């Protein structure tokens, strides 16, 4: 009974929206009338107080009654429990994805080796194939950068002191995390990956989003990133507090605070931020504006080269403080970016990576794989995939 209810209830978005509908869903699935089960037939009312059924009572409810009470009580209890745990019914406004993650969680618990049920190579290909689909008028012609940013922001909430946050759980599906200022614009990436989720329903969102980052880096020409499956999706209760992701208007002390909290060292920090080789800032999302390099859909060490070779001047505008290259005024750097070359320790790695792209690729690959796995407890037999770019 409960299985039937859960499948019907969560498989169909029509049945999940309201408590009254939930109960309709329950009663519709009961193999008997709940009214009958409650004994609300004429025969159960004291003589002279007829119930509203005019049907003659065909059986005595007395023997069945306790059993039916228990059954109905159980069903209503289950319905209530699922109602309360539904992301859609959470008091926090739910953002966009339907409640099928609960259904998926059940599947994931049942399937403790998801790699036996998901063709990740095919998922990789399917993501690779949508990176430029419909992107003719989007930014620089690829969703790669925003997918990469989704992977990073879903993972970069990790705190090693209490093991909260990280990619496990995919909690950015829920408000308040989806509404955190740092995550503005990432709905674009989440919606894009929804098509892949539909095609491969057994993959968890947490695995899908991190794999999206891997595909994006590799398909934009970056290094191979080893990747393991095994993350599970959780509920809105596990959303992380706002303020865990870095603020572009702050400098090296803040950058260290944020990345040390996750467990990274200076060299890993510089390598990771080298991802700003791709993508751009959007005034309507972060308030900042412009790309870091002249090739924002190619994963290269250009971020470090531009940082060291251009002369950076404050942008003259009414927006937040940022820098533009003096020569063309088209590239940008955040105060946080430029702090990497101002800080003696960080600068060592900026210079190293500007000189040696292979070294940058090798270090980025290690640090990014680590980022995507922060806080995730993989089953011991989880395989590591190394995908070839298409
Ligand atoms: C101090 C650390 C960092 C700061 C302050 C920072 C800040 C920002 C800001 C303000 C944006 C612009 C968002 C927008 O307006 O759309 C951005 C974009 C981006 N960031 Fe970072 N970021 C940091 C580290 C990282 C790391 C570690 C990665 C990846 C490993 C990353 C990957 C990206 C990508 C790919 C974009 C472009 C997104 C797009 O084009 O839509 N960032 N970042």
């Amino acid at each position: 009974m409960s299985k039937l209810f859960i499948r019907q209830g969560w498989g169909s978005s029509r049945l999940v929206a309201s408590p009254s509908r939930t109960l309709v869903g329950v009663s519709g699935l009961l193999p008997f009338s709940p009214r009958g089960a409650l004994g609300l037939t004429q025969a159960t009312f004291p003589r002279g107080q007829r119930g509203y059924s005019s049907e003659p009572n065909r059986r005595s409810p007395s023997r069945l009654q306790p059993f039916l009470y228990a059954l109905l009580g159980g069903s209503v209890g289950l319905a209530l429990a699922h109602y309360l745990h539904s992301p859609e019914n959470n008091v926090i406004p739910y953002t966009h994805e339907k409640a099928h993650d609960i259904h998926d969680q059940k599947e994931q618990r049942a399937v403790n080796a998801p790699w036996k049920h998901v063709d990740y190579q095919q998922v990789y290909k399917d993501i690779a194939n949508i990176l430029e689909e419909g992107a003719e008028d989007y930014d620089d012609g690829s969703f790669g950068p925003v997918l990469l940013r989704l992977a990073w922001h879903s993972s970069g909430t990790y705190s090693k002191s209490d093991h909260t946050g990280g990619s496990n759980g995919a909690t950015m599906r829920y408000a308040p995390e989806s509404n955190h200022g740092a995550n503005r614009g990432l709905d674009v990436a989440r919606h894009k990956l929804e098509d892949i989720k539909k095609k491969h329903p057994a993959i968890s969102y947490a695995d899908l989003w991190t794999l999206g980052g891997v595909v994006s880096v590799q398909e934009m020409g970056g290094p191979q990133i080893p990747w393991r499956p095994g993350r599970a999706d959780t509920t809105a209760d596990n959303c992380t507090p706002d303020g865990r992701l870095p603020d572009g208007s702050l400098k090296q002390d803040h950058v260290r605070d944020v990345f040390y909290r996750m467990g990274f060292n200076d060299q890993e920090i510089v390598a990771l931020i080298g991802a700003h080789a791709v993508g751009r800032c959007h005034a309507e999302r972060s308030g900042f504006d412009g790309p870091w390099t002249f090739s924002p859909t190619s994963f290269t060490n250009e971020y470090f080269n531009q940082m060291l070779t251009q002369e950076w001047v404050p942008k003259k505008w009414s927006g937040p403080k940022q820098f533009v290259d003096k020569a063309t005024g088209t590239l940008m750097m955040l105060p946080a970016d430029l702090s990497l070359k101002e800080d003696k320790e960080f600068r060592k790695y900026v210079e190293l990576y500007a000189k040696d792209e292979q070294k940058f690729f090798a270090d980025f690959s290690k640090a990014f794989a680590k980022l995507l796995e922060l806080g995730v407890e993989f089953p011991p037999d989880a395989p590591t995939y190394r995908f070839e770019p298409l």
Side-chain angles (χ1 to χ4, degrees):
M1 172 65 65
S2 62
K3 190 160 185 218
L4 181 62
F5 168 71
I6 289 158
R7 287 206 161 275
Q8 292 263 353
W10 299 115
S12 154
S13 55
R14 281 175 317 214
L15 284 176
V16 297
S18 75
S20 56
R21 281 199 201 159
T22 307
L23 289 170
V24 169
V26 175
S27 63
L29 289 162
L30 293 174
F32 55 87
S33 147
R35 188 144 51 90
L38 285 168
L40 299 178
T41 59
Q42 67 177 66
T44 60
F45 286 82
R47 198 185 293 272
Q49 291 180 39
R50 282 173 58 102
Y52 43 77
S53 168
S54 56
E55 291 279 305
N57 187 24
R58 293 212 174 84
R59 66 175 185 224
S60 158
S62 57
R63 271 187 310 163
L64 274 176
Q65 213 165 326
F67 166 72
L68 292 175
Y69 267 124
L71 202 56
L72 184 72
S75 303
V76 171
L78 252 176
L80 199 62
H82 280 282
Y83 171 73
L84 289 174
H85 282 91
S86 159
E88 288 209 336
N89 296 321
N90 199 297
V91 279
I92 298 161
Y94 181 60
T95 48
H96 61 282
E97 286 87 3
K98 287 280 174 248
H100 47 229
D101 66 294
I102 299 286
H103 167 79
D104 295 340
Q105 270 185 52
K106 272 196 77 66
E107 284 199 346
Q108 281 161 25
R109 273 199 294 272
V111 179
N112 56 16
W115 48 92
K116 293 186 182 152
H117 304 266
V118 181
D119 181 350
Y120 294 109
Q121 181 63 63
Q122 189 58 44
V123 179
Y124 181 101
K125 280 189 196 154
D126 289 341
I127 299 175
N129 285 329
I130 59 162
L131 289 184
E132 293 180 9
E133 182 192 274
E136 300 80 15
D137 300 323
Y138 176 79
D139 279 3
D140 305 289
S142 169
F143 291 104
V146 76
L147 256 60
L148 170 52
R149 189 162 195 244
L150 174 65
W152 138 238
H153 278 211
S154 71
S155 312
T157 53
Y158 184 66
S159 170
K160 69 174 180 184
S161 63
D162 59 5
H163 306 290
T164 56
S167 64
N168 215 5
T171 47
M172 204 202 294
R173 286 167 302 151
Y174 306 105
E177 198 172 326
S178 54
N179 294 332
H180 289 171
N183 292 333
R184 211 167 293 143
L186 291 180
D187 52 322
V188 171
R190 296 198 299 271
H191 280 123
K192 196 76 196 155
L193 288 176
E194 203 54 40
D195 291 341
I196 309 291
K197 174 71 175 166
K198 281 199 190 92
K199 191 167 170 203
H200 303 273
I203 193 171
S204 65
Y205 280 101
D207 276 345
L208 178 62
W209 292 357
T210 51
L211 184 51
V214 169
V215 177
S216 299
V217 169
Q218 295 195 181
E219 294 300 314
M220 290 190 286
Q224 191 175 56
I225 316 284
W227 179 86
R228 281 190 288 174
R231 295 162 193 79
D233 298 331
T234 56
T235 56
D237 312 342
N238 297 308
C239 280
T240 43
D242 202 357
R244 287 201 175 181
L245 292 160
D247 180 339
S249 60
L250 300 177
K251 299 175 69 161
Q252 60 265 45
D253 289 352
H254 167 73
V255 173
R256 283 200 171 91
D257 283 349
V258 169
F259 283 87
Y260 286 0
R261 186 206 66 226
M262 291 181 243
F264 288 110
N265 61 31
D266 288 355
Q267 170 260 311
E268 291 169 313
I269 294 171
V270 178
L272 282 171
I273 303 176
H276 283 170
V278 297
R280 56 170 57 241
C281 291
H282 305 77
E284 72 284 7
R285 296 182 187 171
S286 59
F288 300 105
D289 189 39
W292 291 267
T293 68
F294 291 113
S295 50
T297 59
S298 294
F299 197 98
T300 60
N301 65 343
E302 269 304 285
Y303 168 75
F304 301 112
N305 278 321
Q306 298 299 343
M307 187 184 287
L308 291 176
T309 55
Q310 298 287 355
E311 188 181 338
W312 297 97
V313 294
K315 183 177 168 87
K316 291 198 183 79
W317 72 333
S318 56
K321 182 171 181 186
Q322 69 169 69
F323 296 85
V324 289
D325 69 301
K326 194 173 177 193
T328 72
T330 55
L331 300 183
M332 72 88 61
M333 287 276 163
L334 301 162
D337 292 312
L338 288 186
S339 77
L340 298 184
K341 78 167 185 176
E342 289 156 14
D343 183 273
K344 215 170 121 248
E345 268 307 297
F346 281 151
R347 188 181 174 106
K348 276 195 328 214
Y349 302 107
V350 173
E351 287 176 355
L352 173 65
Y353 296 144
K355 243 190 353 243
D356 188 343
E357 188 173 67
Q358 284 318 306
K359 177 69 177 146
F360 166 52
F361 275 19
D363 288 354
F364 180 85
S365 175
K366 277 196 217 111
F368 192 57
K370 173 174 163 180
L371 173 70
L372 302 184
E373 298 201 345
L374 292 174
V376 185
E377 279 178 34
F378 291 95
D381 53 341
T384 298
Y385 289 80
R386 287 184 174 76
F387 301 101
E388 290 303 323
L390 292 197

